[in-house]
Amino acid sequence: MSTGNHLLEALEPVVAENLDRHLGMAQEWHPHDYIPWSEGRDFALLGGEDWAPEQSRLSETAKAAMITNLLTEDNLPSYHREIATRFGRDGAWGTWVGRWTAEENRHGIAMRDYLVVTRGVDPVELERARMDYMTSGYDSGDKTSLEAVTYVSFQELATRVSHRNTGKVTNDPIADRMLARISKDENLHMVFYRNIVAAALEIAPDETMRAIADEVIGFEMPGATMAGFRRSSMMIAKAGIYDLRLHHDDVIMPILRHWDIFDRTNFGGVGEQAREELATFLQGLDAQAAKFVERRAEHRARAAAKSDTDETPDIAS
C-alpha cells in the first residue's frame, strides 16, 4: 500500500483506538494551579515596577532553557496547521488534531504565567521574541503524512526530556512541578504517535522504514529556526538538559526498540536499505555523543580546578 491518503484511511481505526486510549489516560489539569500568584505584582504601566535582572532567581542556563522551550510551544498555530493539513480534520484524525492542540496550548500558558509572575525573565524581551518567532512561524517543508507522524514521535519525546530536565535546573520546586506536569502530556502524545507508526510498519513496512530513517537522520527540533537558538542549545547541552547523549540514548533508541526496527523481518529492498542507512547514522551519532560527553567532562574538570585555585590563598606571596 502506498503512503498518503490510502495509508491515512487504513490507519483510521488505529487512530480511533489510540484516541480512546489517550482520553482514558489523560488527566485533567489547569495551568493556573501551578502558578505562585502571590509572588506577582504590577509593572510600571499600572504604577508598579518594571523588570530588572536581579529580580530573577533563575540561572542564565535555566533562563535560556525556559525561553527556548516556551517559544517552541508558542508556535502552536503553525504546528496545528502542519498536522491538520496532513492528517485532516475529519473522523478520528480530526478529533485528535483538535485535542492535541488544546492540550499543547496549556503548556505555553503555564510557562509564560510562571515566568511573568515570578519575574524569571525579562517580559519585554520574551514578548518581542514571541512576536518575531510566531511571525516567521514553523514550516516542516514537504513532509508526507507518514514522515510527519514519524517525526513527531521523536519530537514529542525530545520535548518531554527537555522540559523535565529544565525543571531540575531551575532549582525551584514550583517550576519543577509545573514542567513535570507538562512532561506527562508530552509523553502521552509521544505514545499516541509512536503507536500509529508501529501500525504503519505493519501496513506499509518499506515506506515507513524509509520515513523513520529520513526523520532520524535529518532530525532537528522545531525551535531550530528561532533567533539565538544555537547559543541557547549549546548552553542547554553543556548543562545536560538536552544533548547528543540524551538524544541518542533517551529519545531515538527507546522508540526504535519499541518498533523492533533492527529485528524485523518484513522489509523489502527499500526498507532494508533504509535500515542500513539508519544503523550507519546511529553509529556516528553514538560516537559524536561520546566525544561530546568527554569534552564536557574535561571542561567541567578544568573549571572546577580553576575554581579551587582561585579560592586558595597564595601563601608564597
Side-chain angles (χ1 to χ4, degrees), residues 146-255:
L146 180 56
E147 290 168 339
V149 75
T150 301
Y151 169 76
V152 290
S153 299
F154 297 106
Q155 186 269 326
E156 292 282 1
L157 184 52
T159 303
R160 175 194 179 278
V161 171
S162 180
H163 281 318
R164 194 68 194 90
N165 289 337
T166 296
K168 295 174 182 177
V169 303
T170 62
N171 292 318
D172 180 1
I174 295 174
D176 190 29
R177 185 182 181 190
M178 173 191 67
L179 290 168
R181 174 59 264 186
I182 290 172
S183 296
K184 290 182 180 179
D185 277 2
E186 305 290 13
N187 198 62
L188 284 178
H189 297 164
M190 178 275 293
V191 170
F192 177 91
Y193 291 123
R194 186 190 66 186
N195 290 351
I196 303 306
V197 176
L201 277 164
E202 301 300 328
I203 298 171
D206 276 23
E207 292 92 335
T208 305
M209 185 61 241
R210 181 71 265 170
I212 291 169
D214 289 343
E215 294 309 310
V216 171
I217 293 171
F219 183 87
E220 66 177 11
M221 293 294 279
T225 58
M226 74 175 63
F229 179 81
R230 180 173 177 81
R231 177 179 178 274
S232 295
S233 63
M234 285 305 299
M235 292 177 66
I236 289 168
K238 288 178 180 177
I241 297 171
Y242 196 89
D243 56 32
L244 287 177
R245 185 79 279 159
L246 290 168
H247 183 64
H248 178 278
D249 292 358
D250 293 2
V251 176
I252 300 301
M253 295 310 299
I255 294 178

Side-chain angles (χ1 to χ4, degrees), residues 90-166:
D90 299 321
W93 276 113
T95 302
W96 168 255
V97 168
R99 174 72 187 200
W100 175 87
T101 303
E103 291 185 2
E104 285 286 340
N105 195 42
R106 292 184 298 206
H107 304 168
I109 292 171
M111 294 173 68
R112 173 167 287 98
D113 284 349
Y114 168 83
L115 289 173
V116 173
V117 167
T118 63
R119 298 186 175 232
V121 301
D122 183 351
V124 174
E125 177 186 334
L126 182 64
E127 177 60 7
R128 287 171 177 167
R130 185 193 69 82
M131 289 290 291
D132 288 344
Y133 190 44
M134 288 189 70
T135 298
S136 63
Y138 172 75
D139 185 354
S140 65
D142 58 355
K143 287 188 192 297
T144 65
S145 56
L146 180 56
E147 290 168 339
V149 75
T150 301
Y151 169 76
V152 290
S153 299
F154 297 106
Q155 186 269 326
E156 292 282 1
L157 184 52
T159 303
R160 175 194 179 278
V161 171
S162 180
H163 281 318
R164 194 68 194 90
N165 289 337
T166 296

Side-chain angles (χ1 to χ4, degrees), residues 32 34-43 49 51 55-58 113-121 171-175:
H32 69 267
Y34 291 81
I35 309 303
W37 298 104
S38 60
E39 295 185 22
R41 61 188 189 275
D42 292 344
F43 290 90
E49 179 186 13
W51 185 86
Q55 296 168 0
S56 175
R57 57 175 175 256
L58 298 175
D113 284 349
Y114 168 83
L115 289 173
V116 173
V117 167
T118 63
R119 298 186 175 232
V121 301
N171 292 318
D172 180 1
I174 295 174

Side-chain angles (χ1 to χ4, degrees), residues 20-40:
D20 289 341
R21 178 186 183 278
H22 177 85
L23 295 175
M25 296 188 68
Q27 297 175 333
E28 184 180 40
W29 66 279
H30 307 98
H32 69 267
D33 285 329
Y34 291 81
I35 309 303
W37 298 104
S38 60
E39 295 185 22

Side-chain angles (χ1 to χ4, degrees), residues 150 154 197 201 205-206 208-219 247-248 251-257 259-264 267 270-287:
T150 301
F154 297 106
V197 176
L201 277 164
D206 276 23
T208 305
M209 185 61 241
R210 181 71 265 170
I212 291 169
D214 289 343
E215 294 309 310
V216 171
I217 293 171
F219 183 87
H247 183 64
H248 178 278
V251 176
I252 300 301
M253 295 310 299
I255 294 178
L256 294 181
R257 283 195 293 267
W259 291 333
D260 198 27
I261 289 301
F262 294 107
D263 292 318
R264 300 181 72 90
F267 293 134
V270 172
E272 288 291 353
Q273 180 179 348
R275 179 161 59 178
E276 290 175 8
E277 292 175 17
L278 177 61
T280 299
F281 172 80
L282 290 173
Q283 286 180 342
L285 180 63
D286 185 44

